[in-house]
Amino acid sequence: MKKTYLMTPGPTPVPPDVSLAMAAPIIHHRSTEYSEIFEEVRKDLKYLFQTENDVLIFTSSGTGAMEGAVTNMLSRGDKAIIIRGGKFGERWGEICESYGVNIIPIDVPWGKAVKPEEVASCLEADREIKAVFMQASETSTGVMYPTREIADIVKKYENTLMIVDAITGLGVFNLPADTWNLDVVVAGSQKALMLPPGLSFASISEKAWKFAETSNLPKYYFDFKKERESQKKNQNAYTPAVSLIIGLYSVLKTIKKEGLKNLFNRHINLAEATRAAICDMGLELFSVDSPTPSLTAVKIPSDVDGARVVKILREKYGIRVAGGQGDLKGKIIRIAHMGFIDEFDIISTIFALGKTLSEVGFKLDTNKGISKFMEVYND
């Protein structure tokens, strides 16, 4: 018998009680019963996003909300800064270019965080820039960006929006949309929200809604204004993923019970203990300067095939981690510690990783890593 552990940075494990809630008989999405649930979900999402503004819900992956953030806020020919330090920073640029938005890239070495002064210099040099697009947590590299510092710069520019991909940030570390003046924050269901893929979210500030009034890019399904009017009535403009909304209702109640401070501290504790364990067992971290609490990116020794490590972990030990993307393919693995992941899941992953690397010829002290994890986590 072999247990399986889902340790990828999305999808993440779904709690059993949430799975059971989603397995209940389906209800109609135009019923009073659904509207009452949806109303509670909308309120609780404001709590999670730390905003008084609307948080829209779409049936899509997080990329759908990313695309909507572009098409609803900008117009053809607008200029936008794109912080590109990983696969998902590149995605912002690809979406913008698809709709005729002129991008001004700030290219950051993968594994490093962008410097706020680079953004400040770009904005000062060109007052026509309409938006800054960035990740709060770059999932492909394990880096956390200085969201607050950059938002403090952007807020000085009345005609520029701060648009943040928080898909692996929301529910992991502090990202108060209103306090930090984050104009659009997008997220997805399959990360710290502990649900299957299929829901995306976008919080929109009053400043951003003014941009939506003048946007001329094509939009239909991801029409923020249309969706806002429907969701004010506790309905979706189009057929929603009803079962996922039911699951979201359950998850958000659990998050409110735990409290945001405890939620963030739990993720930070797991992250710090994981990173300490990895280093103590003789491996290197890929992201050292500004690692995200969402996941740990681990360098695979240069003489070891990273794809083989991922395969052995999955097939022999039932541990599912993510490999590298783009130029990092075969060079790193990514271990998640967000959502419904606890210290026992991490210990099992560390043990299996040590066994796997030993099998492929790289000797390391697995016991030392586990001991270090327990020491740091318990402290």
Side-chain angles (χ1 to χ4, degrees):
M1 183 178 70
K2 180 173 65 180
K3 291 183 67 175
T4 60
Y5 297 82
L6 184 60
M7 304 300 294
T8 59
T12 61
V14 177
D17 61 315
V18 177
S19 294
L20 286 172
M22 292 188 293
I26 194 106
I27 61 175
H28 195 265
H29 61 286
R30 300 303 183 201
S31 65
T32 301
E33 183 181 6
Y34 176 81
S35 294
E36 289 173 351
I37 292 169
F38 194 65
E39 182 178 16
E40 285 297 306
V41 165
R42 292 178 63 233
K43 289 178 184 176
D44 290 346
L45 279 174
K46 289 185 177 185
Y47 169 81
L48 180 60
F49 278 80
Q50 301 181 70
T51 183
E52 295 299 320
N53 297 310
D54 293 298
V55 180
L56 304 182
I57 307 169
F58 295 92
T59 299
S60 77
S61 69
T63 304
M66 291 175 72
E67 180 166 331
V70 173
T71 60
N72 285 270
M73 299 299 138
L74 300 181
S75 296
R76 182 172 292 276
D78 280 350
K79 299 177 183 178
I81 290 174
I82 309 293
I83 297 173
R84 300 192 302 194
K87 193 71 174 176
F88 297 98
E90 291 178 353
R91 184 167 297 180
W92 274 131
E94 292 163 359
I95 294 169
C96 285
E97 289 181 318
S98 295
Y99 285 97
V101 174
N102 297 319
I103 71 167
I104 301 170
I106 297 178
D107 289 317
V108 183
W110 285 33
K112 301 291 184 181
V114 64
K115 293 179 172 60
E117 53 266 30
E118 294 183 69
V119 178
S121 296
C122 284
L123 290 172
E124 185 62 31
D126 191 342
R127 298 301 181 95
E128 293 184 357
I129 293 171
K130 292 295 180 68
V132 175
F133 290 91
M134 65 171 286
Q135 272 58 45
S137 169
E138 176 51 73
T139 316
S140 65
T141 64
V143 174
M144 181 169 66
Y145 287 164
T147 305
R148 183 176 189 174
E149 291 84 348
I150 294 172
D152 283 342
I153 295 166
V154 175
K155 73 179 182 182
K156 301 171 186 175
Y157 295 84
E158 184 180 350
N159 295 316
T160 307
L161 294 177
M162 177 72 176
I163 302 180
V164 181
D165 163 6
I167 292 173
T168 53
L170 185 77
V172 178
F173 51 87
N174 198 30
L175 283 170
D178 289 358
T179 305
W180 288 7
N181 296 285
L182 310 180
D183 295 304
V184 181
V185 179
V186 302
S189 58
Q190 74 276 22
K191 311 289 185 174
L193 284 179
M194 303 175 280
L195 290 167
L199 293 179
S200 64
F201 314 95
S203 72
I204 300 104
S205 71
E206 285 305 316
K207 178 181 176 182
W209 281 118
K210 294 176 183 176
F211 278 66
E213 291 299 325
T214 59
S215 168
N216 66 12
L217 293 179
K219 56 192 73 75
Y220 184 82
Y221 182 76
F222 295 105
D223 186 328
F224 283 10
K225 289 195 292 182
K226 183 188 296 183
E227 200 65 48
R228 183 191 199 188
E229 291 307 309
S230 291
Q231 295 192 15
K232 280 181 177 179
K233 303 170 187 173
N234 297 316
Q235 282 290 333
N236 306 85
Y238 306 101
T239 304
V242 175
S243 295
L244 288 175
I245 296 292
I246 300 294
L248 179 60
Y249 174 88
S250 177
V251 165
L252 291 172
K253 295 303 179 189
T254 299
I255 287 174
K256 288 188 74 174
K257 184 177 181 180
E258 182 175 6
L260 293 182
K261 184 177 180 180
N262 292 332
L263 181 71
F264 301 149
N265 284 338
R266 173 164 60 81
H267 286 100
I268 290 167
N269 290 343
L270 281 173
E272 290 181 351
T274 303
R275 292 195 295 265
I278 292 298
C279 293
D280 251 43
M281 67 194 292
L283 295 169
E284 293 183 59
L285 302 174
F286 179 69
S287 307
V288 177
D289 297 336
S290 184
T292 176
S294 310
L295 63 127
T296 294
V298 183
K299 285 185 180 180
I300 297 299
S302 57
D303 57 345
V304 173
D305 180 0
R308 187 181 174 199
V309 170
V310 172
K311 183 178 180 181
I312 293 172
L313 281 169
R314 180 182 68 249
E315 294 183 354
K316 186 170 184 178
Y317 297 104
I319 307 284
R320 288 166 168 79
V321 300
Q325 295 178 286
D327 292 341
L328 295 180
K329 190 172 184 179
K331 298 177 181 178
I332 67 170
I333 62 169
R334 293 172 294 143
I335 302 168
H337 26 70
M338 59 181 154
F340 191 59
I341 290 174
D342 64 15
E343 65 270 31
F344 302 107
D345 298 320
I346 300 292
I347 289 170
S348 298
T349 302
I350 292 169
F351 175 79
L353 178 60
K355 294 275 286 183
T356 298
L357 286 171
S358 295
E359 288 175 28
V360 297
F362 186 82
K363 301 302 180 184
L364 72 174
D365 194 339
T366 306
N367 290 334
K368 190 177 179 182
I370 293 172
S371 296
K372 189 65 175 180
F373 177 91
M374 294 174 66
E375 174 192 333
V376 174
Y377 184 77
N378 288 332
D379 284 346

